[in-house]
Every structure is written in structure tokens, then in C-alpha cells.
Amino acid sequence: MTQHTPGPWVTDNGHAERDGIQVWDTVHGWIIADVVNDQHDNAEANAALIAAAPAMLDALLDITRWVDPD
């Protein structure tokens, strides 16, 4: 498995350079993503989905261990 920036990740629309939202790593203070609005104004939903990625990965790994404990 490749390495990733550990969570938690949070969204912040106060620091975005453009009309959008940034996703930040709370441990290192790194910018994970700069999510800009599209024609449907989905930036907030897309940023929330990206920010949830570490928690979703943890949940999937837990399920994997539960299904195949070896």
C-alpha cells in the first residue's frame, strides 16, 4: 500500500486563493487540495468528500480485517 498523508483532514474556505475551498492536513498544516467551484457549485461537497478520505480508508481497512482477520 502506498503512503498517504494521515488525517484528520479539514475543509477551510477562508484561505482559498480562488472561489473555492481548501482541504488541510491538521497534523502538518499541509494543503491537501484546492477545490474550486464548478458550474454546479459543488466545491463544498467535493471538499467534504476529499476531507473524509482518511476516515473512509480507516473504515475500509477495519472492514477488511473483520472479513479476513489473517
Coordinates of all heavy atoms in Angstrom, one line a residue:
M1 N 0.8 -1.2 0.0 CA 0.0 0.0 0.0 C 0.9 1.2 0.0 O 1.9 1.3 0.7 CB -0.9 0.0 1.2 CG -1.8 1.1 1.3 SD -2.9 0.6 2.7 CE -3.8 2.0 2.9
T2 N 0.5 2.2 -0.8 CA 1.3 3.4 -0.8 C 1.0 4.3 0.4 O 0.0 4.1 1.0 CB 1.0 4.2 -2.1 OG1 -0.4 4.6 -2.1 CG2 1.3 3.5 -3.4
Q3 N 1.9 5.1 0.7 CA 1.8 6.0 1.9 C 0.9 7.2 1.5 O 0.7 7.6 0.4 CB 3.1 6.5 2.3 CG 4.1 5.4 2.8 CD 3.5 4.8 4.1 OE1 3.1 5.4 5.0 NE2 3.6 3.5 4.1
H4 N 0.2 7.7 2.5 CA -0.6 8.9 2.4 C -0.4 9.8 3.5 O 0.2 9.5 4.5 CB -2.1 8.4 2.2 CG -2.6 7.9 3.5 ND1 -2.4 6.6 3.9 CD2 -3.4 8.4 4.5 CE1 -3.0 6.4 5.1 NE2 -3.6 7.5 5.4
T5 N -0.9 11.0 3.4 CA -0.9 12.0 4.5 C -1.9 11.6 5.5 O -3.1 11.5 5.1 CB -1.1 13.4 4.0 OG1 -0.2 13.7 2.9 CG2 -1.0 14.4 5.1
P6 N -1.6 11.3 6.7 CA -2.5 10.9 7.7 C -3.5 12.0 8.0 O -3.3 13.2 7.9 CB -1.7 10.5 8.9 CG -0.5 11.3 8.8 CD -0.2 11.5 7.3
G7 N -4.7 11.6 8.4 CA -5.8 12.5 8.8 C -5.6 12.9 10.3 O -4.7 12.5 10.9
P8 N -6.5 13.7 10.8 CA -7.7 14.2 10.1 C -7.4 15.3 9.1 O -6.5 16.1 9.3 CB -8.6 14.6 11.2 CG -7.7 15.0 12.3 CD -6.5 14.1 12.2
W9 N -8.3 15.4 8.1 CA -8.2 16.5 7.1 C -9.5 17.3 7.4 O -10.5 16.8 7.7 CB -8.2 16.0 5.7 CG -7.0 15.1 5.3 CD1 -5.9 14.9 6.0 CD2 -6.9 14.4 4.1 NE1 -5.0 14.1 5.4 CE2 -5.6 13.8 4.2 CE3 -7.7 14.2 3.0 CZ2 -5.1 13.0 3.1 CZ3 -7.2 13.4 2.0 CH2 -5.9 12.8 2.0
V10 N -9.3 18.6 7.2 CA -10.5 19.5 7.4 C -10.6 20.5 6.2 O -9.6 20.7 5.4 CB -10.3 20.4 8.7 CG1 -10.3 19.5 9.9 CG2 -9.1 21.2 8.6
T11 N -11.8 21.0 6.0 CA -12.0 22.0 5.0 C -11.9 23.4 5.5 O -12.2 23.6 6.7 CB -13.4 21.8 4.3 OG1 -14.4 22.0 5.3 CG2 -13.6 20.5 3.7
D12 N -11.5 24.3 4.7 CA -11.4 25.7 5.1 C -11.6 26.6 3.9 O -10.8 26.6 3.0 CB -10.0 25.9 5.7 CG -9.7 27.3 6.1 OD1 -10.6 28.2 6.1 OD2 -8.5 27.6 6.6
N13 N -12.6 27.4 3.9 CA -12.8 28.3 2.8 C -12.3 29.7 3.0 O -12.4 30.6 2.2 CB -14.3 28.4 2.4 CG -15.2 28.9 3.6 OD1 -14.7 29.1 4.7 ND2 -16.4 29.1 3.3
G14 N -11.6 29.9 4.1 CA -11.0 31.2 4.5 C -9.7 31.5 3.8 O -9.2 32.6 3.8
H15 N -9.0 30.4 3.4 CA -7.6 30.6 2.8 C -7.5 30.3 1.3 O -6.5 30.4 0.8 CB -6.7 29.7 3.6 CG -6.4 30.1 5.0 ND1 -7.1 29.5 6.0 CD2 -5.6 31.0 5.5 CE1 -6.7 30.0 7.2 NE2 -5.8 30.9 6.9
A16 N -8.6 30.0 0.7 CA -8.6 29.6 -0.7 C -8.2 30.9 -1.5 O -8.7 32.0 -1.3 CB -9.9 29.1 -1.2
E17 N -7.3 30.7 -2.5 CA -6.9 31.8 -3.3 C -8.0 32.2 -4.3 O -8.0 33.3 -4.8 CB -5.6 31.4 -4.1 CG -4.4 31.3 -3.1 CD -3.1 31.0 -3.9 OE1 -3.1 31.1 -5.1 OE2 -2.2 30.6 -3.2
R18 N -8.8 31.2 -4.7 CA -9.8 31.5 -5.7 C -11.2 31.2 -5.0 O -11.2 31.0 -3.8 CB -9.7 30.5 -6.9 CG -8.4 30.8 -7.6 CD -8.3 29.7 -8.7 NE -8.1 28.4 -8.1 CZ -7.2 27.5 -8.5 NH1 -6.5 27.8 -9.5 NH2 -7.1 26.4 -7.9
D19 N -12.2 31.3 -5.8 CA -13.5 31.0 -5.3 C -13.7 29.5 -5.1 O -14.0 28.7 -6.0 CB -14.6 31.4 -6.3 CG -16.0 31.2 -5.8 OD1 -16.2 31.2 -4.5 OD2 -16.9 31.0 -6.6
G20 N -13.3 29.0 -3.9 CA -13.4 27.6 -3.6 C -13.0 27.3 -2.1 O -13.1 28.2 -1.3
I21 N -12.6 26.1 -1.9 CA -12.4 25.6 -0.5 C -11.1 24.8 -0.6 O -10.8 24.1 -1.5 CB -13.5 24.7 0.0 CG1 -14.8 25.5 0.0 CG2 -13.2 24.2 1.3 CD1 -16.1 24.7 0.2
Q22 N -10.3 24.9 0.5 CA -9.1 24.1 0.6 C -9.3 23.0 1.6 O -10.1 23.1 2.5 CB -7.9 25.0 1.1 CG -7.4 25.9 0.0 CD -6.2 26.7 0.5 OE1 -6.1 27.0 1.7 NE2 -5.4 27.1 -0.4
V23 N -8.6 21.9 1.4 CA -8.6 20.8 2.3 C -7.2 20.7 2.9 O -6.2 20.7 2.2 CB -8.9 19.4 1.6 CG1 -8.9 18.3 2.6 CG2 -10.3 19.5 1.0
W24 N -7.2 20.7 4.3 CA -5.9 20.8 5.0 C -5.7 19.6 5.9 O -6.6 19.0 6.4 CB -5.9 22.0 6.0 CG -5.8 23.3 5.3 CD1 -6.8 24.0 4.7 CD2 -4.7 24.2 5.2 NE1 -6.4 25.2 4.2 CE2 -5.1 25.3 4.5 CE3 -3.4 24.0 5.6 CZ2 -4.2 26.3 4.2 CZ3 -2.5 25.1 5.3 CH2 -2.9 26.2 4.6
D25 N -4.4 19.2 6.0 CA -4.0 18.1 6.9 C -3.8 18.8 8.2 O -3.0 19.8 8.3 CB -2.7 17.5 6.4 CG -1.9 16.8 7.4 OD1 -2.4 16.3 8.4 OD2 -0.6 16.9 7.3
T26 N -4.5 18.4 9.3 CA -4.4 19.1 10.6 C -3.1 18.7 11.3 O -2.7 19.5 12.3 CB -5.6 18.7 11.5 OG1 -5.6 17.3 11.7 CG2 -6.9 19.2 10.8
V27 N -2.4 17.7 11.0 CA -1.2 17.3 11.7 C 0.0 18.2 11.2 O 0.7 18.7 12.1 CB -0.9 15.8 11.4 CG1 0.5 15.4 12.1 CG2 -2.0 14.9 12.0
H28 N 0.2 18.3 9.9 CA 1.4 19.0 9.4 C 1.0 20.4 8.9 O 1.9 21.2 8.6 CB 2.0 18.3 8.3 CG 2.5 16.9 8.7 ND1 1.7 15.8 8.4 CD2 3.6 16.5 9.3 CE1 2.4 14.7 8.9 NE2 3.5 15.1 9.4
G29 N -0.3 20.7 8.7 CA -0.7 22.0 8.2 C -0.5 22.1 6.7 O -0.4 23.2 6.1
W30 N -0.4 21.0 6.0 CA -0.3 20.9 4.6 C -1.6 21.1 3.9 O -2.6 20.6 4.3 CB 0.4 19.6 4.1 CG 1.7 19.3 4.7 CD1 2.7 20.3 5.1 CD2 2.3 18.1 4.9 NE1 3.8 19.6 5.5 CE2 3.6 18.3 5.4 CE3 1.9 16.8 4.7 CZ2 4.5 17.2 5.7 CZ3 2.8 15.7 5.0 CH2 4.1 16.0 5.5
I31 N -1.5 21.7 2.7 CA -2.7 21.8 1.9 C -2.8 20.5 1.1 O -1.9 20.1 0.4 CB -2.7 23.0 0.9 CG1 -2.6 24.3 1.6 CG2 -3.9 22.9 -0.1 CD1 -2.4 25.5 0.7
I32 N -3.9 19.8 1.2 CA -4.2 18.5 0.5 C -4.8 18.8 -0.9 O -4.4 18.2 -1.8 CB -5.1 17.6 1.3 CG1 -4.5 17.3 2.7 CG2 -5.4 16.3 0.6 CD1 -3.2 16.6 2.7
A33 N -5.7 19.7 -0.9 CA -6.4 20.0 -2.2 C -7.0 21.4 -2.2 O -7.3 22.0 -1.1 CB -7.6 19.0 -2.4
D34 N -7.0 22.0 -3.3 CA -7.6 23.3 -3.6 C -8.8 23.0 -4.5 O -8.7 22.7 -5.7 CB -6.6 24.2 -4.3 CG -6.6 25.6 -3.9 OD1 -7.5 26.0 -3.0 OD2 -5.7 26.3 -4.3
V35 N -10.0 23.0 -3.9 CA -11.2 22.6 -4.6 C -12.0 23.9 -5.1 O -12.4 24.7 -4.2 CB -12.1 21.8 -3.7 CG1 -13.3 21.3 -4.5 CG2 -11.3 20.6 -3.1
V36 N -12.1 24.1 -6.4 CA -12.8 25.2 -6.9 C -14.2 24.9 -7.3 O -14.5 23.7 -7.6 CB -12.0 25.9 -8.1 CG1 -10.7 26.4 -7.6 CG2 -11.9 24.9 -9.2
N37 N -15.1 25.9 -7.3 CA -16.5 25.7 -7.7 C -16.6 25.4 -9.2 O -15.8 26.0 -10.0 CB -17.3 26.9 -7.4 CG -17.9 26.9 -6.0 OD1 -18.4 25.8 -5.5 ND2 -17.8 28.0 -5.3
D38 N -17.4 24.5 -9.5 CA -17.7 24.2 -10.9 C -19.1 24.9 -11.3 O -19.6 25.6 -10.5 CB -17.8 22.7 -11.2 CG -18.8 21.9 -10.3 OD1 -19.6 22.6 -9.7 OD2 -18.8 20.7 -10.3
Q39 N -19.6 24.5 -12.4 CA -20.8 25.2 -12.8 C -22.0 24.8 -11.9 O -23.1 25.5 -12.0 CB -21.2 24.9 -14.3 CG -21.5 23.5 -14.6 CD -20.3 22.6 -15.0 OE1 -19.2 23.0 -14.6 NE2 -20.5 21.5 -15.6
H40 N -21.9 23.8 -11.1 CA -22.9 23.4 -10.2 C -22.7 23.7 -8.7 O -23.4 23.3 -7.9 CB -23.1 21.9 -10.3 CG -23.4 21.4 -11.7 ND1 -24.6 21.7 -12.4 CD2 -22.6 20.7 -12.6 CE1 -24.5 21.1 -13.6 NE2 -23.4 20.6 -13.8
D41 N -21.6 24.5 -8.5 CA -21.3 24.9 -7.1 C -21.1 23.7 -6.2 O -21.6 23.7 -5.1 CB -22.3 25.9 -6.5 CG -22.3 27.2 -7.3 OD1 -21.3 27.6 -7.8 OD2 -23.4 27.9 -7.3
N42 N -20.3 22.8 -6.6 CA -20.1 21.6 -5.8 C -18.9 21.6 -5.0 O -18.5 20.6 -4.4 CB -20.0 20.3 -6.8 CG -21.4 20.0 -7.4 OD1 -22.4 20.2 -6.8 ND2 -21.4 19.5 -8.6
A43 N -18.2 22.7 -4.9 CA -16.9 22.7 -4.2 C -17.0 22.3 -2.7 O -16.2 21.5 -2.2 CB -16.3 24.1 -4.2
E44 N -18.1 22.7 -2.0 CA -18.2 22.4 -0.6 C -18.4 20.8 -0.5 O -17.7 20.2 0.4 CB -19.4 23.1 0.0 CG -19.5 22.9 1.5 CD -20.5 23.9 2.1 OE1 -20.8 24.9 1.6 OE2 -21.0 23.5 3.2
A45 N -19.2 20.3 -1.3 CA -19.5 18.8 -1.2 C -18.2 18.0 -1.6 O -17.9 17.0 -1.0 CB -20.6 18.4 -2.1
N46 N -17.6 18.5 -2.7 CA -16.3 17.8 -3.1 C -15.2 17.9 -2.1 O -14.5 16.9 -1.8 CB -15.9 18.4 -4.5 CG -16.8 18.0 -5.6 OD1 -17.5 17.0 -5.5 ND2 -16.8 18.8 -6.6
A47 N -15.1 19.1 -1.5 CA -14.1 19.2 -0.4 C -14.4 18.4 0.8 O -13.5 17.8 1.4 CB -14.0 20.7 0.0
A48 N -15.6 18.3 1.2 CA -16.0 17.4 2.3 C -15.7 15.9 2.0 O -15.2 15.2 2.9 CB -17.5 17.6 2.6
L49 N -15.9 15.5 0.8 CA -15.6 14.1 0.4 C -14.1 13.9 0.4 O -13.7 12.9 1.0 CB -16.2 13.9 -1.0 CG -16.0 12.5 -1.6 CD1 -16.7 11.4 -0.7 CD2 -16.5 12.4 -3.0
I50 N -13.3 14.8 -0.1 CA -11.9 14.7 0.0 C -11.4 14.6 1.4 O -10.6 13.8 1.8 CB -11.2 15.8 -0.8 CG1 -11.5 15.6 -2.3 CG2 -9.7 15.8 -0.6 CD1 -11.1 16.9 -3.1
A51 N -11.9 15.5 2.3 CA -11.5 15.6 3.7 C -11.9 14.3 4.4 O -11.2 14.0 5.4 CB -12.2 16.8 4.3
A52 N -12.9 13.6 4.0 CA -13.3 12.4 4.7 C -12.5 11.2 4.2 O -12.6 10.1 4.8 CB -14.8 12.1 4.4
A53 N -11.6 11.3 3.3 CA -10.8 10.2 2.7 C -10.0 9.4 3.8 O -10.1 8.2 3.8 CB -9.9 10.7 1.6
P54 N -9.3 10.1 4.7 CA -8.6 9.3 5.7 C -9.5 8.4 6.6 O -9.2 7.3 6.9 CB -7.8 10.3 6.6 CG -7.7 11.5 5.7 CD -8.9 11.5 4.8
A55 N -10.7 9.0 7.0 CA -11.6 8.2 7.8 C -12.2 7.1 7.0 O -12.4 6.0 7.5 CB -12.7 9.2 8.3
M56 N -12.5 7.3 5.7 CA -13.0 6.3 4.9 C -12.0 5.1 4.7 O -12.4 4.0 4.7 CB -13.5 6.8 3.5 CG -14.7 7.7 3.6 SD -15.5 8.2 2.1 CE -14.2 9.2 1.3
L57 N -10.7 5.5 4.5 CA -9.7 4.5 4.4 C -9.6 3.7 5.7 O -9.5 2.4 5.6 CB -8.3 5.1 4.1 CG -7.2 4.2 4.1 CD1 -7.3 3.1 3.0 CD2 -5.9 5.0 3.9
D58 N -9.6 4.3 6.8 CA -9.6 3.6 8.1 C -10.8 2.6 8.2 O -10.6 1.5 8.6 CB -9.6 4.5 9.3 CG -8.3 5.2 9.4 OD1 -7.3 4.8 8.9 OD2 -8.3 6.3 10.1
A59 N -12.0 3.1 7.8 CA -13.2 2.2 7.9 C -13.0 1.0 6.9 O -13.4 -0.1 7.3 CB -14.4 3.0 7.5
L60 N -12.5 1.2 5.7 CA -12.3 0.1 4.8 C -11.3 -0.9 5.3 O -11.5 -2.1 5.2 CB -11.9 0.7 3.4 CG -13.0 1.4 2.6 CD1 -12.5 2.0 1.4 CD2 -14.1 0.4 2.3
L61 N -10.2 -0.4 5.9 CA -9.2 -1.3 6.5 C -9.8 -2.1 7.6 O -9.5 -3.3 7.8 CB -8.0 -0.5 6.9 CG -7.2 0.1 5.8 CD1 -6.1 1.0 6.3 CD2 -6.6 -0.9 4.8
D62 N -10.6 -1.5 8.5 CA -11.3 -2.2 9.5 C -12.2 -3.3 9.0 O -12.2 -4.4 9.5 CB -12.1 -1.2 10.4 CG -11.3 -0.4 11.3 OD1 -10.1 -0.7 11.5 OD2 -11.8 0.6 11.8
I63 N -13.0 -3.0 7.9 CA -13.9 -4.0 7.3 C -13.0 -5.1 6.8 O -13.4 -6.3 6.9 CB -14.7 -3.3 6.2 CG1 -15.7 -2.4 6.9 CG2 -15.4 -4.4 5.4 CD1 -16.5 -1.5 5.9
T64 N -11.9 -4.8 6.1 CA -11.1 -5.8 5.5 C -10.5 -6.7 6.6 O -10.5 -8.0 6.4 CB -9.9 -5.2 4.8 OG1 -10.4 -4.3 3.8 CG2 -9.0 -6.2 4.2
R65 N -10.1 -6.2 7.7 CA -9.6 -7.0 8.8 C -10.7 -7.9 9.5 O -10.5 -9.0 9.9 CB -9.0 -6.1 9.9 CG -7.6 -5.6 9.5 CD -6.9 -4.9 10.6 NE -7.4 -3.6 10.9 CZ -7.0 -2.5 10.3 NH1 -6.0 -2.5 9.4 NH2 -7.5 -1.3 10.6
W66 N -12.0 -7.3 9.5 CA -13.1 -8.1 10.0 C -13.5 -9.2 9.1 O -13.8 -10.3 9.6 CB -14.3 -7.1 10.2 CG -15.5 -7.8 10.8 CD1 -15.7 -8.2 12.1 CD2 -16.7 -8.1 10.1 NE1 -16.9 -8.7 12.2 CE2 -17.5 -8.7 11.0 CE3 -17.1 -8.0 8.8 CZ2 -18.8 -9.2 10.6 CZ3 -18.3 -8.4 8.4 CH2 -19.2 -9.0 9.3
V67 N -13.4 -9.0 7.8 CA -13.8 -10.0 6.8 C -12.7 -11.1 6.7 O -13.0 -12.3 6.7 CB -14.1 -9.4 5.4 CG1 -14.2 -10.5 4.4 CG2 -15.3 -8.5 5.5
D68 N -11.5 -10.7 6.7 CA -10.3 -11.6 6.6 C -9.3 -11.3 7.7 O -8.4 -10.6 7.5 CB -9.7 -11.5 5.2 CG -8.6 -12.5 5.0 OD1 -8.5 -13.5 5.8 OD2 -7.9 -12.4 4.0
P69 N -9.5 -11.8 8.9 CA -8.6 -11.5 10.0 C -7.2 -12.0 9.9 O -6.4 -11.6 10.7 CB -9.3 -12.1 11.2 CG -10.2 -13.2 10.7 CD -10.5 -12.8 9.3
D70 N -6.9 -12.8 8.9 CA -5.5 -13.3 8.8 C -4.6 -12.3 8.2 O -4.3 -11.6 7.5 CB -5.5 -14.6 8.0 CG -6.2 -15.7 8.8 OD1 -6.2 -15.7 10.0 OD2 -6.7 -16.6 8.1

